[in-house]
């Protein structure tokens, strides 16, 4: 009987040991990810804006159009342009395939936009301004649907291009920042609807 009891006790211990060995280990807690750093906070060296340029949605749109506009051979103040945008802003023209069958979008950083546009703007002259804006705002996000006209000279009677710029803005206390501009140009098959015109 004692022999049977010893065998039974051994079996219980063996079972318990096996069960413990097979039990899943307590998972190590995953550390919380580091706090994300915002685009503005991450670039304290970013050019500082003139407060008058960024005091309202209307002011910052006018400043963007002013910064890119100028006569033939006139250098642009690209640091002024940068100061209007968050450092990670994107400028996005809607594009089309060579055969026109597909739409696409080209994603540009602010410096990519400057590199792409500077030579063309200063060689031929370029003036752009809005003729109609529609603004919506909630909290710190602002959307402005801005119909634009482009000219080579400020006094040209007719624009060589028109279209719509979709501005996404961030309200930051008493100033605004451009987060993105997404735009498309008017064409004979894609006229600007009357409701977006003056």
């Amino acid at each position: 009987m004692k022999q049977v009891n010893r065998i039974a006790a051994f079996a219980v211990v063996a079972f318990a040991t096996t069960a413990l060995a097979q039990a899943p280990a307590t998972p190590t807690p995953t550390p919380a990810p580091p706090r994300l750093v915002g685009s503005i906070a991450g670039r304290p060296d970013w050019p500082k804006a003139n407060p008058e340029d960024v005091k309202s949605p209307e002011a910052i749109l006018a400043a963007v159009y002013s910064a890119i506009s100028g006569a033939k051979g006139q250098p642009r103040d690209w640091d002024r342009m940068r100061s209007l945008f968050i450092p990670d802003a994107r400028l996005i023209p809607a594009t089309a395939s060579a055969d026109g069958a597909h739409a696409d979008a080209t994603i540009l950083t602010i410096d990519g936009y400057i590199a792409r546009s500077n030579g063309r703007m200063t060689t031929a002259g370029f003036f752009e301004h809005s003729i109609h804006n529609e603004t919506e705002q909630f909290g710190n996000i602002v959307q402005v649907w801005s119909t634009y006209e482009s000219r080579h000279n400020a006094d040209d009677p007719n624009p060589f291009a028109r279209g719509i710029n979709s501005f996404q803005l961030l309200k930051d206390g008493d100033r605004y920042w451009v987060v993105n501009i997404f735009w498309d140009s008017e064409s004979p098959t894609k006229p600007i609807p009357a409701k977006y015109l003056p």
Side-chain angles (χ1 to χ4, degrees):
M1 179 64 71
K2 290 182 180 180
Q3 180 68 21
V4 171
N5 288 341
R6 283 198 296 271
I7 293 172
F10 176 78
V12 170
V13 171
F15 175 80
T17 302
T18 302
L20 286 172
Q22 293 176 347
T26 302
T28 302
T30 302
R35 180 180 174 85
L36 296 175
V37 177
S39 180
I40 301 164
R43 289 294 304 273
D45 59 332
W46 197 246
K48 300 298 186 283
N50 178 341
E52 290 299 308
D53 279 348
V54 295
K55 65 182 181 181
S56 68
E58 295 77 16
I60 198 168
L61 260 68
V64 169
Y65 286 122
S66 174
I68 62 177
S69 296
K72 180 178 179 180
Q74 178 183 332
R76 304 301 194 266
D77 184 352
W78 292 122
D79 269 351
R80 181 192 183 197
M81 179 77 164
R82 291 182 181 94
S83 76
L84 308 173
F85 291 74
I86 66 169
D88 295 299
R90 295 293 182 263
L91 295 99
I92 310 168
T95 57
S97 59
D99 60 3
H102 303 284
D104 206 339
T106 301
I107 312 298
L108 300 169
T109 63
I110 182 65
D111 285 331
Y113 173 84
I114 291 168
R116 176 178 181 267
S117 305
N118 184 54
R120 175 167 47 86
M121 287 178 173
T122 56
T123 298
F126 182 83
F127 291 84
E128 188 168 283
H129 70 280
S130 63
I131 59 172
H132 181 79
N133 293 332
E134 294 198 0
T135 303
E136 295 181 349
Q137 180 168 355
F138 170 74
N140 291 323
I141 62 173
V142 184
Q143 159 76 29
V144 184
W145 202 250
S146 180
T147 306
Y148 67 83
E149 291 185 343
S150 304
R151 290 171 168 80
H152 292 301
N153 300 290
D155 56 357
D156 286 346
N158 297 308
F160 70 84
R162 300 196 312 176
I164 293 178
N165 287 319
S166 173
F167 284 80
Q168 284 75 52
L169 307 178
L170 170 70
K171 185 179 187 299
D172 173 22
D174 59 358
R175 73 152 291 174
Y176 289 81
W177 298 83
V178 180
V179 177
N180 290 306
I181 308 176
F182 184 30
W183 71 91
D184 200 2
S185 300
E186 184 179 45
S187 70
T189 59
K190 188 177 53 188
I192 296 173
K195 64 181 179 179
Y196 299 131
L197 295 170

